[in-house]
Amino acid sequence: MGCRVLLALLVLHRAKLLASNQSILALGRSPRQGLGAVAPVKSPFPGERGQGDRDSKLEVCFKNRLFLQAETLCSVINIIIIYSRPLRKAKVSTNASQGRNCQRRPAAGRNLGRHIAAGDFMANKKLYKKERFSGCLVGAAAGDALGSPVKTITRSQIKDIYGKKGILKLKPEKHQKYARISDETQMMLFTAHGILWADAAGLKTNEADPADYVFLALQQWLYTQTGGTSSVELQWILDENETGFPCDLLGVPALAKKRNPTKQLVQTIADIKSEHTYGRIRRPINANKLFDCLPRAVPTGLYFYSDPARAFATGCDLAAITHSHPTAYLATGCLASIIAFICKGNSIEQSVLDTMKMLKEYDGFEDCFAALDKALALPDETTSPLTDVAELGNGSTADSALAIGVYCACVHYDYLSAVQLAANQDGISDICAFIAGALKGALLGYSEIPSGFVKKLQFADTVKTYAARLTKAAPKGFMKR
């Protein structure tokens, strides 16, 4: 509305300029000239024939008037530019979590030609790969840190603790400088390490299977949580001389702290005794469809950004290491593919639709397909965002968490409002805000994440370092397998 008012004022001002200019030109006519005659114009170059003193005074008056009008016009244009572009340092939204008076536009759903969904105006924004990769990883970690303190409590309990507007910014623990991450960011970082390890072993030329190296990276993560690997035979992964690829994450003591991972995940990794027995899509080891496989999709989607189909397939393989239910590994593949499409310049909605086409080619696609379809359809409703989120589930299963994250990223223009909505709901807050932050960060870029979030984020430098390493490693294409 503000831009429309400014544009209207600009049009009126321009009309006034034209009218005033005509009056000045009329003053410049000689009394002997008719209304149709044109007054001679003095040459701007010195030494050329002019109109004398009278015309010189008129010309000075005309120039001064024209200069003031041009200056005013430039000021109006600058105001329009400033208020039209997204703010680099977003202010904390007081309404984002409540769903009242929030900027919402209908999600694309099946009518991409008729609607432009929230955030789509940034889809065509040209961003460097580094900007998208950093935005995605940091955005995911910051969303995780926002939702972590309220991970398992209800909306009403959040309001009791943080006020009626809920949790709106990162909250460091008492006597702590940074807001701590959860196991979601830990899993994302160790997965990134495994992918980079596979890259060093020949992933680009298909000489290495990323699932093998991510499994070993998960064993390294298990060591930080339990003090040991699943078997004696796997202890070699703790010796960088044996691996040939040092794991910087093992040298960060604070990363070794337990951040409440699910018991099923820890137990599953601990039960896999060798690199030959971890889960595969064709070799199921359980029926787990919980949400905690989804963080593996973020670095996968970034590394395989040039090939979303391969990002989908690899995301499924990495999730199947510990989660054998189709809903879990297909949701992970979907998230990896969506991120890859976004990094290629697509909107979130178009990325989801393109991913859903690939999803239908896999067995057991129904749950994920229905969840994503509903996530795109709900923004067309007149209900509040919190009501819509409740219809998508509580985020405890992979398809539900993915749908909530996609919905929150679609329904709001800016990063901050999206993660606030994902955190201030009755479901699993950290994974939902993690996904919403990853999607908005990839779409908008690192510079659109509030600087206050980055300054208070635990391990922000480590996350940015891995983003830079993935940016350097991710190829523009792969050899055919």
Side-chain angles (χ1 to χ4, degrees), residues 35-90:
L35 291 176
V38 179
V41 179
K42 184 178 180 180
S43 170
F45 302 103
E48 295 189 11
R49 186 175 178 181
Q51 292 295 311
D53 293 337
R54 184 179 63 84
D55 286 337
S56 297
K57 292 179 181 180
L58 285 173
E59 185 184 54
V60 170
C61 177
F62 177 81
K63 285 183 177 180
N64 290 340
R65 183 74 175 271
L66 189 61
F67 176 81
L68 291 174
Q69 291 166 349
E71 189 176 36
T72 305
L73 181 61
C74 290
S75 300
V76 173
I77 292 174
N78 286 333
I79 291 173
I80 292 174
I81 293 173
I82 290 171
Y83 282 93
S84 296
R85 65 190 180 192
L87 293 177
R88 207 165 265 277
K89 293 184 178 180

Side-chain angles (χ1 to χ4, degrees), residues 190-203 208 210 212-218 220 236-239 242-247 469:
F190 276 93
T191 301
H193 170 72
I195 291 174
L196 290 170
W197 192 355
D199 176 77
L203 177 55
D212 290 340
Y213 293 88
V214 170
F215 164 71
L216 296 177
L218 294 182
Q220 292 174 326
W236 64 272
I237 64 172
L238 305 177
D239 186 351
E242 291 285 339
T243 64
F245 193 79
C247 181
R469 293 177 65 182

Side-chain angles (χ1 to χ4, degrees), residues 143-155 157-158 161-162 167 180-186 221 225 258-265 290-292 295 394-396 404 422-434:
D144 175 33
L146 181 68
S148 181
V150 296
K151 177 177 183 177
T152 57
I153 62 178
T154 64
R155 166 72 179 162
Q157 291 172 321
I158 295 174
I161 299 172
Y162 296 98
I167 184 168
R180 76 177 193 176
I181 59 168
S182 77
D183 59 301
E184 319 301 349
T185 301
Q186 289 180 344
W221 173 80
Q225 302 296 298
K258 295 182 179 179
R259 293 292 183 240
N260 300 320
T262 61
K263 294 180 180 179
Q264 294 93 325
L265 177 62
L290 294 180
F291 62 87
D292 45 7
N394 63 3
S396 61
I404 293 173
N424 288 279
Q425 42 101 15
D426 291 327
I428 310 298
S429 297
D430 60 347
I431 186 60
C432 296
F434 175 92

Side-chain angles (χ1 to χ4, degrees), residues 108 112 120 341 346-355 357:
L112 286 173
D120 273 9
F341 274 120
N346 291 357
S347 68
I348 295 176
E349 287 74 16
Q350 186 61 59
S351 299
V352 174
L353 291 174
D354 291 341
T355 295
K357 295 177 184 177

Side-chain angles (χ1 to χ4, degrees), residues 451-462:
S451 59
F453 268 44
V454 179
K455 291 178 181 178
K456 292 183 180 180
L457 176 63
Q458 186 182 31
F459 306 124
D461 291 339
T462 301

Side-chain angles (χ1 to χ4, degrees), residues 92-409:
V92 173
S93 173
T94 57
N95 296 315
S97 59
Q98 296 181 357
R100 295 192 295 271
N101 301 322
C102 297
Q103 283 185 311
R104 294 211 298 156
R105 301 180 73 174
R110 303 172 185 82
N111 301 313
L112 286 173
R114 291 193 297 113
H115 297 306
I116 300 177
D120 273 9
F121 68 97
M122 295 295 292
N124 295 324
K125 179 182 177 183
K126 291 185 178 180
L127 295 175
Y128 289 110
K129 185 170 70 170
K130 181 180 179 180
E131 176 80 359
R132 290 195 188 275
F133 279 37
S134 298
C136 187
L137 288 187
V138 175
D144 175 33
L146 181 68
S148 181
V150 296
K151 177 177 183 177
T152 57
I153 62 178
T154 64
R155 166 72 179 162
S156 61
Q157 291 172 321
I158 295 174
K159 291 167 67 176
D160 291 340
I161 299 172
Y162 296 98
K164 65 179 181 179
K165 295 173 183 176
I167 184 168
L168 301 178
K169 53 186 178 180
L170 298 189
K171 298 287 186 180
E173 293 181 337
K174 191 175 182 179
H175 306 305
Q176 298 295 320
K177 184 178 180 181
Y178 302 107
R180 76 177 193 176
I181 59 168
S182 77
D183 59 301
E184 319 301 349
T185 301
Q186 289 180 344
M187 187 61 63
M188 177 183 72
L189 290 173
F190 276 93
T191 301
H193 170 72
I195 291 174
L196 290 170
W197 192 355
D199 176 77
L203 177 55
K204 293 185 182 72
T205 56
N206 301 314
E207 299 176 47
D209 185 345
D212 290 340
Y213 293 88
V214 170
F215 164 71
L216 296 177
L218 294 182
Q219 287 290 327
Q220 292 174 326
W221 173 80
L222 180 68
Y223 172 78
T224 66
Q225 302 296 298
T226 64
T229 58
S230 61
S231 66
V232 176
E233 288 75 13
L234 288 172
Q235 289 185 355
W236 64 272
I237 64 172
L238 305 177
D239 186 351
E240 63 181 53
N241 293 323
E242 291 285 339
T243 64
F245 193 79
C247 181
D248 299 334
L249 301 174
L250 293 176
V252 183
L255 265 177
K257 292 185 178 181
K258 295 182 179 179
R259 293 292 183 240
N260 300 320
T262 61
K263 294 180 180 179
Q264 294 93 325
L265 177 62
V266 176
Q267 190 60 50
T268 299
I269 299 176
D271 288 342
I272 303 173
K273 303 302 180 182
S274 76
E275 60 268 31
H276 305 295
T277 58
Y278 64 78
R280 288 284 197 177
I281 293 177
R282 303 298 180 190
R283 189 176 65 202
I285 59 175
N286 57 32
N288 189 355
K289 62 175 182 178
L290 294 180
F291 62 87
D292 45 7
C293 57
L294 289 170
R296 299 172 213 173
V298 177
T300 305
L302 295 179
Y303 182 83
F304 293 98
Y305 82 99
S306 62
D307 190 349
R310 189 165 181 182
F312 190 110
T314 304
C316 292
D317 289 339
L318 300 189
I321 294 173
T322 55
H323 293 64
S324 296
H325 198 287
T327 297
Y329 62 72
L330 288 178
T332 307
C334 284
L335 181 55
S337 173
I338 292 168
I339 290 173
F341 274 120
I342 292 173
C343 289
K344 289 174 71 69
N346 291 357
S347 68
I348 295 176
E349 287 74 16
Q350 186 61 59
S351 299
V352 174
L353 291 174
D354 291 341
T355 295
M356 290 170 69
K357 295 177 184 177
M358 292 190 288
L359 174 62
K360 293 178 69 175
E361 300 176 2
Y362 288 78
D363 294 334
F365 73 91
E366 293 82 5
D367 288 347
C368 286
F369 190 93
L372 289 174
D373 188 58
K374 192 171 185 179
L376 291 184
L378 278 174
D380 286 325
E381 306 296 331
T382 56
T383 52
S384 71
L386 285 173
T387 302
D388 292 345
V389 169
E391 290 191 33
L392 295 171
N394 63 3
S396 61
T397 58
D399 58 328
S400 174
L402 174 62
I404 293 173
V406 166
Y407 171 85
C408 294

